[in-house]
Every structure is written in C-alpha cells, then in structure tokens.
Amino acid sequence: MKNIVLIFAGGMGQRMGSSGALPKQFLLINNKPIIIHTLELFSQLKEIDSIVVVCLKEYIKVLEKYIKEYAVEKVATIVSGGTTGQESIFNGLLTIKKIECCEDNNIIIHDGVRPLVSSKEILRSITCANLNGNAINISPMTETVLIKKENQSEIVDRNICYHIKAPQIFKFKDIFDFHIRAKNDCREFIDSASMASYYGKKLFFVECSNDNIKLTTPKDFYLMQALIQAKSVEDIFGI
C-alpha cells in the first residue's frame, strides 16, 4: 500500500478578481509560488511515496520549471486539468490508475492553494485512513452559524459545526468508483467528501487548525502571506 498525493491546481482563481492575470497557484509568497509551498510540504514527508499534480494545460511547462528550480522531489507526473475541479481530480485518478494500480493505495487529495496544513495533521490523516478507509480534515466553526430559510431561519449551535477542508484521503478503489458513478449520473460535487457522502460512504474526520486555509479571495492571500511569514520566523528562531 502506498500514499499517493493528488494535488489539483487546475483553476484560474476567478474569485480572486484577477481575470486574465496569473493563476492564483502561481502567486508568490516569500518569493516562492504557492503551489511550490504546497508541494514541498508533502514531498518532505517520508510517508509520501509519490505526487501527481493536475495543472492548467498552458502552465504545465511553468510548473515543471519551478519544480526543477526548487528541487521538489516525488512529483511523478503533471496532468492537464479539466473544466471543473471534479474533472481535474478525475484526470489525476485516471493517470494514477495507469502508473499505480493498487486499489488499496491511499489517495491524498489536496488543493494546490492550501499550503498551511501541518505535517502532523497530514500524518494523523494517513493514520486515520489506514484504520478506517478514509480521512477528512475539518476545523471548528468559530462564529455563529445561521441556516437561512424562507419562512423561519435557524441558528445552529456552532460547537457541533465544522468547516470541511483538505487533505481528504480515500482508498483508490473507493474514490475512483465514486467519480465513475458521478460521471454516469451527470452530478457535480463541491469536493470529494461531499461526493463520497452522497454515495453512502461513512466518513471519518481529523480535526485540523483553522490556519489550514484555501486561497480563494484577495483577503485569503494576505492572511496566508502573514501566516507563512510567521511560520518562517518560528522555523528560524525555534519559537
């Protein structure tokens, strides 16, 4: 059994408000592309066997150059992305099926623009997946949650509410089957956890820090930049 990371970075980042500009995964923080921050995090773990990256077709050469420049190890191949995140992940799964066909391999699905998950959180997720067959990272909700309804809205106890994040780990046989079923049903899901839940899979959860943010809006960029810079200071001074 192997731990194979599937990084999807196939989008342009429309909600960043930078249409026609550089895709968000190639924005620089500390003079390094965000996608490289993410890849380095996984490649440095001995528990990770290989990495498959799904990237915008026109930026594959750019990513290859960065991977060589920063000497990122364990990247087995780069695959062209699809028109949606779900299609991009499926493209990656098809490639994994060709090069790593063991059905019991852990497929660690992660956003290319989510570089702040910690090594400990990744390892806890792998342990959970080994024991239970899957692992979904979640973080506690910190503000009041409202379910807005037409007639009467409802405030939910935030202590039982969580953000679903990544990594999300599944056995290859399971996640590939879910994608085939979704494709046949013409269904689009917001993430792999939602897809698995829809098709009746019991999910197991690993709590992670709220720092594990995904770059979606300009505000996220500045928060991510501050968190990465703070982490760099901690690494240097051991604080």
Side-chain angles (χ1 to χ4, degrees):
M1 182 183 68
K2 294 183 177 180
N3 296 312
I4 303 170
V5 182
L6 174 51
I7 299 288
F8 62 102
M12 282 296 297
Q14 294 170 330
R15 282 175 286 181
M16 284 292 291
S18 56
S19 179
L22 194 67
K24 61 183 180 179
Q25 54 269 33
F26 292 101
L27 295 176
L28 301 181
I29 293 182
N30 284 7
N31 296 314
K32 183 186 296 184
I34 290 170
I35 181 67
I36 297 298
H37 283 282
T38 304
L39 291 174
E40 286 181 337
L41 175 65
F42 286 94
S43 69
Q44 291 166 3
L45 293 175
K46 65 180 178 59
E47 290 80 3
I48 299 302
D49 293 289
S50 62
I51 303 172
V52 171
V53 187
V54 184
C55 181
L56 288 163
K57 183 177 180 180
E58 56 270 35
Y59 280 87
I60 288 177
K61 294 294 184 185
V62 175
L63 182 55
E64 287 175 342
K65 178 183 175 183
Y66 279 132
I67 287 171
K68 183 176 181 180
E69 177 182 347
Y70 289 95
V72 180
E73 299 179 347
K74 299 186 180 178
V75 177
T77 188
I78 303 174
V79 183
S80 179
T83 56
T84 65
Q86 184 169 307
E87 187 178 334
S88 292
I89 292 172
F90 186 59
N91 286 354
L93 291 172
L94 287 171
T95 297
I96 291 171
K97 185 177 175 64
K98 294 177 183 177
I99 62 176
E100 298 282 359
C101 61
C102 179
E103 292 188 338
D104 287 329
N105 284 340
N106 287 327
I107 306 302
I108 304 168
I109 300 171
H110 196 73
D111 309 275
V113 290
R114 196 187 287 274
L116 284 164
V117 63
S118 72
S119 297
K120 289 181 180 179
E121 289 165 347
I122 295 170
L123 296 179
R124 286 205 304 268
S125 299
I126 292 173
T127 298
C128 177
N130 287 340
L131 289 172
N132 302 301
N134 64 72
I136 311 298
N137 270 244
I138 58 173
S139 66
M141 192 76 71
T142 57
E143 298 191 46
T144 302
V145 180
L146 171 71
I147 298 177
K148 188 177 180 181
K149 300 179 181 178
E150 186 174 341
N151 296 323
Q152 184 177 354
S153 297
E154 177 185 357
I155 293 178
V156 183
D157 181 2
R158 72 181 183 191
N159 292 316
I160 61 171
C161 295
Y162 291 81
H163 299 280
I164 292 182
K165 300 200 171 189
Q168 300 181 5
I169 307 179
F170 296 91
K171 298 302 180 182
F172 177 82
K173 60 185 177 183
D174 291 332
I175 192 62
F176 190 79
D177 176 63
F178 298 147
H179 272 267
I180 293 295
R181 293 167 72 177
K183 195 174 183 67
N184 291 337
D185 294 341
C186 297
R187 286 191 171 274
E188 193 75 25
F189 295 91
I190 194 167
D191 66 356
S192 300
S194 300
M195 179 188 290
S197 178
Y198 179 83
Y199 288 114
K201 189 69 173 178
K202 181 180 179 180
L203 301 180
F204 294 85
F205 303 103
V206 176
E207 191 166 322
C208 67
S209 167
N210 276 306
D211 289 350
N212 179 13
I213 61 174
K214 176 184 175 184
L215 177 59
T216 304
T217 68
K219 179 181 177 181
D220 297 328
F221 176 81
Y222 294 111
L223 176 57
M224 185 176 288
Q225 183 178 53
L227 289 169
I228 287 176
Q229 289 173 347
K231 185 176 183 300
S232 298
V233 170
E234 290 175 1
D235 292 342
I236 292 171
F237 294 100
I239 56 177

